[in-house]
Amino acid sequence: MSADRAVQGHAAPVAPGGLRGRGSSHAPRRRRWGAALPPLASVLGTLVLLEVLIQTRLLSDSVLPPPSDIGGEMAASLADGIAPRLMLSTLQGWAVGLGAAVVAGAALGLLLGSLPTVERLMSGVLEFVRPIPSIALIPLCIIVLGIGMETKYLLVFIGSLWPILIHTVLGTRSVDLVARDTCRTYGVPLAGRIRHLMLPSVAPQFLTGLRISSAIALIVAITVELIVGAPGLGKQVNVAQQAGDTAQMWAYISLIGVLGMVINAVFMRMERRVLHWHDSQRLEAA
């Protein structure tokens, strides 16, 4: 038995792309659309109900304007280009901080998961730092970095680092010991061990941590914009609130919600595509 075949025999099962015909993919797609209809209907029903209650004065519009007014403000801010620029600024801080967290979390997670001695040595420091919210570091970051984008980058990085790091460590620990010993016995090169053994074991946990961190990164970015005044959607929510324009304030809050939904949908779709061979995705598609 060759070395590559020995590794593949113990690695996570990969579903061949040719086993399913083209026509069979329509059923899972229809099921996904069917699963999306109830949440969409509930959102539309809630908006209609709020519109009726506010228009009939059963609810005061001083705090929550009618959804039609909020939608008009959203459309206007998108049409005049203000909202896209603010969204890009928010996404810039989100992407830079999250990207740095992915690199650092994956590298450190692989190191700690592969070397238990190093993990034991660093566990005290990590357990002390991990519970500290990144938002608590805002005063220090303002003193050192000011109120610009650098503060947002750093705080997003700190806030989104931990789920990636922890899930990478867990994924590294889940590598099959028998498969690892088999690799050593057959002299499988490093590239083969990474491709056929490490990646199939680490990828499910890593992608779960990445999806969680993507949501945390957006929350931290918006919070920094609200508190520090860094450019982005959060800052504009503050500006609208201080100006007393509640419809515009809720329009930008709604845009933040839509942005979060889009980010989550993108990462879930990426997870399904990358992990199409994994048991969790097979059960979901079944």
Side-chain angles (χ1 to χ4, degrees), residues 164-202:
I164 297 174
L165 172 60
I166 293 170
H167 281 81
T168 303
V169 171
L170 294 176
T172 306
R173 287 178 183 169
S174 68
V175 174
D176 192 336
L177 297 179
V178 175
R180 188 173 64 185
D181 293 340
T182 303
C183 289
R184 292 174 180 172
T185 301
Y186 285 92
V188 178
L190 178 61
R193 293 201 301 270
I194 292 175
R195 177 182 178 185
H196 298 297
L197 181 62
M198 292 293 293
L199 286 180
S201 299
V202 176

Side-chain angles (χ1 to χ4, degrees), residues 48-259:
V48 171
L49 178 62
L50 287 173
E51 182 76 24
V52 172
L53 292 176
I54 295 172
Q55 294 292 355
T56 56
R57 305 296 182 183
L58 294 176
L59 285 180
S60 173
D61 60 355
S62 59
V63 176
L64 179 63
S68 57
D69 292 352
I70 298 174
E73 287 287 345
M74 287 178 62
S77 62
L78 290 170
D80 60 20
I82 295 177
R85 288 196 298 270
L86 295 172
M87 292 173 71
L88 285 176
S89 182
T90 296
L91 286 174
Q92 180 182 344
W94 170 84
V96 172
L98 181 62
V102 168
V103 174
L108 187 57
L110 288 171
L111 176 66
L112 298 179
S114 303
L115 302 174
T117 303
V118 176
E119 183 184 6
R120 285 194 295 270
L121 289 174
M122 297 186 63
S123 61
V125 176
L126 294 176
E127 289 303 318
F128 173 76
V129 176
R130 185 168 63 90
I132 300 176
S134 59
I135 304 303
L137 302 176
I138 285 180
L140 177 62
C141 291
I142 292 176
I143 293 172
V144 177
L145 300 174
I147 60 173
M149 295 293 291
E150 292 80 7
T151 295
K152 193 195 302 188
Y153 297 153
L154 179 59
L155 292 174
V156 169
F157 165 75
I158 295 172
S160 57
L161 172 66
W162 301 109
I164 297 174
L165 172 60
I166 293 170
H167 281 81
T168 303
V169 171
L170 294 176
T172 306
R173 287 178 183 169
S174 68
V175 174
D176 192 336
L177 297 179
V178 175
R180 188 173 64 185
D181 293 340
T182 303
C183 289
R184 292 174 180 172
T185 301
Y186 285 92
V188 178
L190 178 61
R193 293 201 301 270
I194 292 175
R195 177 182 178 185
H196 298 297
L197 181 62
M198 292 293 293
L199 286 180
S201 299
V202 176
Q205 290 280 2
F206 172 78
L207 289 176
T208 299
L210 178 59
R211 180 160 50 85
I212 296 172
S213 289
S214 67
I216 294 175
L218 181 62
I219 293 170
V220 174
I222 296 297
T223 305
V224 172
E225 293 166 0
L226 281 166
I227 298 176
V228 178
L233 290 171
K235 178 181 179 180
Q236 197 62 29
V237 170
N238 242 346
V239 170
Q241 185 269 332
Q242 292 172 4
D245 192 341
T246 55
Q248 188 180 85
M249 180 187 72
W250 278 103
Y252 284 109
I253 292 174
S254 301
L255 284 173
I256 292 170
V258 171
L259 188 61

Side-chain angles (χ1 to χ4, degrees), residues 5-55:
R5 292 182 64 185
V7 178
Q8 291 173 357
H10 290 280
V14 179
L19 290 181
R20 294 198 318 180
R22 293 183 179 179
S24 62
S25 64
H26 293 301
R29 195 172 300 172
R30 285 195 297 268
R31 281 194 291 270
R32 285 197 293 269
W33 276 109
L37 286 177
L40 181 60
S42 67
V43 171
L44 293 176
T46 302
L47 292 176
V48 171
L49 178 62
L50 287 173
E51 182 76 24
V52 172
L53 292 176
I54 295 172
Q55 294 292 355

